[in-house]
């Protein structure tokens, strides 16, 4: 038998996640340096110096296994978030936690609901578990932000076999978000057989007054899992550390399928130290607000409709298949993200960079458009 025939049915039809193009790869292809990567929503300021120092301090002890229970990081997170340690599940990135949810709650006889244009990991973990994916249409733009999650459509997509609903708030790649009242109503109305995952990967970037902190609903909604990460605003994507906050009964289930040492020692230490650097986080958010406003304005003056974003990235409509512009930007040394795999073939997603990186991208875009 061919290997494909030996794989479980979910894996047979699976398309792997396509990450942003690595800088080293483009360097090798083009033989150029000074590449600007605005493709993976990384923090252009880098990690906090406190996090770097903490990670470095552990290096002489790399022969030791990390603390598999992540005691100190969980303890610090719990204090900061106003929850208890037994509510926290650490992951090798929040991606890991999403996978733990799928492993614990999804199987071939149940389904998971998520929105059109939602984060690509939801369909992957759903399908890998052999569960059925039910995709709710996104807002068309008449009753809510165009391309954003339509909670009414998502509620209608929930059936007797639904076990998990994935909600990205804000969503990547659209940058759209759900307001407090709207999301609270949706979560409170969920049937008891559904686990709700609210993915807050960009939580630290959002400043809208009606943007909810989903942790506030944990005391009243038992089947709620809130995921966050150190990869985005905390600038630690390379170390891979994220976490879920939930009811302790759910955390216990996630822990049963978790690898014993899923978060490495430098990651545990760096994340803990990063929590002390409020100033780095504030500078990160500030740089992002300014850069995002500039990019929105300049994309509009190029004639591109950009989706209003509350995150550290902007998705914009180039009015035709975006592949050629993506390729031409690569030739200019700028890596952005084509998102045809999200059902948005005419859009590109660009991460907000430093002031210099944003200008470099805009100048490259102008050159590309003028030929
Ligand atoms: C980036 C991202 C994540 C996961 O990132 P990790 O590095 O695995 O923590 C999760 N959800 C969304 C919506 C993201 O954009």
């Amino acid at each position: 038998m061919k290997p494909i025939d030996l794989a479980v049915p979910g894996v047979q039809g699976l398309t792997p996640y396509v990450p942003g193009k690595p800088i080293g790869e483009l360097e090798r292809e083009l033989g150029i340096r000074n590449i600007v990567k605005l493709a993976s929503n990384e923090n252009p300021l880098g990690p906090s110096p406190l996090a770097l120092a903490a990670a470095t301090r552990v290096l002489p002890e790399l022969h030791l296994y990390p603390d598999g229970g992540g005691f100190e990081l969980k303890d610090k997170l719990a204090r900061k978030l106003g929850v208890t340690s037994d509510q926290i599940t650490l992951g090798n990135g929040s991606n890991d936690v999403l996978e733990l949810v799928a492993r614990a709650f999804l199987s071939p006889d149940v389904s998971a609901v998520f929105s059109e244009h939602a984060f690509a990991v939801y369909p992957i973990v759903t399908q890998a578990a052999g569960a059925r994916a039910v995709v709710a249409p996104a807002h068309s733009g008449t009753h809510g932000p165009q391309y954003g999650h339509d909670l009414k459509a998502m509620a209608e997509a929930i059936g007797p076999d639904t076990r998990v609903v994935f909600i990205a708030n804000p969503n990547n790649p659209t940058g759209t978000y759900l307001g407090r009242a709207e999301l609270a109503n949706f979560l409170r109305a969920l049937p008891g057989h559904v686990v709700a995952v609210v993915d807050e990967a960009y939580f630290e970037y959002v400043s809208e007054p009606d943007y909810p902190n989903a942790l506030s609903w944990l005391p009243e909604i038992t089947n709620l899992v809130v995921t966050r990460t150190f990869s985005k605003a905390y600038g630690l994507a390379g170390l891979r550390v994220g976490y879920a906050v939930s009811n302790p009964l759910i955390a216990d289930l996630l822990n049963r399928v978790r690898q014993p040492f899923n978060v490495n020692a430098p990651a545990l230490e760096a994340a803990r130290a990063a929590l002390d650097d409020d100033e780095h986080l504030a500078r990160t958010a500030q740089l992002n607000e300014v850069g995002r406003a500039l990019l929105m304005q300049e994309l509009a003056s190029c004639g591109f409709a950009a989706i209003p974003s509350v995150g550290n990235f902007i998705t914009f409509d180039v009015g035709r298949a975006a592949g050629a512009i993506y390729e031409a930007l690569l030739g200019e040394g700028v890596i952005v993200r084509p998102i045809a795999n999200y059902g948005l073939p005419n859009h590109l997603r660009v991460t907000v960079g430093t002031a210099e990186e944003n200008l470099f991208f805009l100048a490259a875009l102008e050159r590309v458009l003028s030929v």
Side-chain angles (χ1 to χ4, degrees):
M1 273 177 112
K2 292 199 293 272
I4 184 92
D5 301 318
L6 303 174
V8 294
V11 173
Q12 286 180 0
L14 204 57
T15 320
Y17 181 83
V18 184
K21 195 180 188 66
I23 290 176
E25 188 177 309
L26 188 60
E27 283 180 348
R28 289 191 295 276
E29 287 170 7
L30 298 183
I32 59 170
R33 298 267 147 182
N34 301 321
I35 285 163
V36 169
K37 183 187 178 208
L38 299 172
S40 301
N41 303 343
E42 294 145 337
N43 184 338
L45 291 179
S48 152
L50 298 184
L52 270 186
T56 310
R57 273 197 300 276
V58 203
L59 298 183
E61 288 166 28
L62 284 186
H63 59 297
L64 301 176
Y65 277 102
D67 172 8
F71 177 86
E72 291 187 277
L73 176 57
K74 288 209 292 198
D75 185 60
K76 189 152 186 174
L77 273 171
R79 287 167 205 275
K80 188 181 172 84
L81 303 174
V83 299
T84 51
S85 281
D86 61 358
Q87 292 184 263
I88 298 174
T89 308
L90 298 179
N92 194 251
S94 56
N95 198 143
D96 187 24
V97 176
L98 297 171
E99 221 173 286
L100 298 181
V101 169
R103 207 148 357 124
F105 297 104
L106 294 178
S107 65
D109 48 359
V110 301
S111 70
V113 169
F114 47 85
S115 174
E116 183 187 12
H117 314 311
F119 185 48
V121 165
Y122 312 151
I124 293 176
V125 300
T126 300
Q127 201 179 327
R132 195 164 59 89
V134 181
V135 182
H139 274 303
S140 62
T142 49
H143 295 93
Q146 192 180 9
Y147 308 110
H149 290 14
D150 179 347
L151 290 181
K152 190 162 168 283
M154 290 182 76
E156 281 163 10
I158 287 169
D161 73 345
T162 305
R163 194 65 85 246
V164 176
V165 57
F166 290 104
I167 297 152
N169 200 32
N171 183 44
N172 166 23
T174 59
T176 50
Y177 78 103
L178 298 159
R180 184 173 295 114
E182 182 186 15
L183 185 51
N185 290 339
F186 173 84
L187 294 173
R188 288 183 182 128
L190 282 176
H193 57 81
V194 177
V195 173
V197 177
V198 178
D199 177 346
E200 296 185 333
Y202 300 92
F203 178 83
E204 298 82 5
Y205 279 113
V206 189
S207 56
E208 269 59 22
D210 66 332
Y211 173 69
N213 175 348
L215 298 179
S216 68
W217 297 314
L218 285 171
E220 58 165 313
I221 301 174
T222 311
N223 296 340
L224 173 62
V225 178
V226 182
T227 64
R228 295 207 185 151
T229 183
F230 287 91
S231 298
K232 303 289 160 59
Y234 283 103
L236 294 174
L239 278 180
R240 315 301 305 125
V241 50
Y243 58 95
V245 191
S246 66
N247 185 290
L249 297 172
I250 296 216
D252 171 53
L253 295 168
L254 298 180
N255 256 303
R256 295 182 194 190
V257 288
R258 186 178 64 79
Q259 275 187 45
F261 304 104
N262 63 334
V263 184
N264 69 71
L268 288 171
E269 290 307 312
R272 194 152 64 94
L275 292 173
D276 285 328
D277 201 342
D278 290 336
E279 201 233 307
H280 185 72
L281 206 57
R283 270 204 306 142
T284 296
Q286 168 67 14
L287 181 76
N288 185 59
E289 296 251 335
V290 174
R292 192 175 60 199
L294 172 91
L295 288 174
M296 283 300 283
Q297 183 189 320
E298 295 300 312
L299 288 168
S301 69
C302 290
F304 294 149
I307 307 174
S309 168
V310 299
N312 67 334
F313 55 89
I314 296 173
T315 287
F316 57 100
D317 186 349
V318 300
R320 60 195 124 129
I325 295 181
Y326 166 69
E327 295 289 339
L329 284 170
L330 289 181
E332 298 283 337
V334 177
I335 311 173
V336 296
R337 193 71 160 266
I339 47 174
N341 56 328
Y342 284 90
L344 296 167
N346 290 4
H347 286 74
L348 290 172
R349 190 192 72 195
V350 62
T351 301
V352 179
T354 60
E356 300 76 46
E357 288 171 333
N358 297 335
L359 294 176
F360 191 90
F361 157 71
L362 288 167
L365 184 62
E366 269 183 36
R367 284 195 297 276
V368 161
L369 295 173
S370 65
V371 293

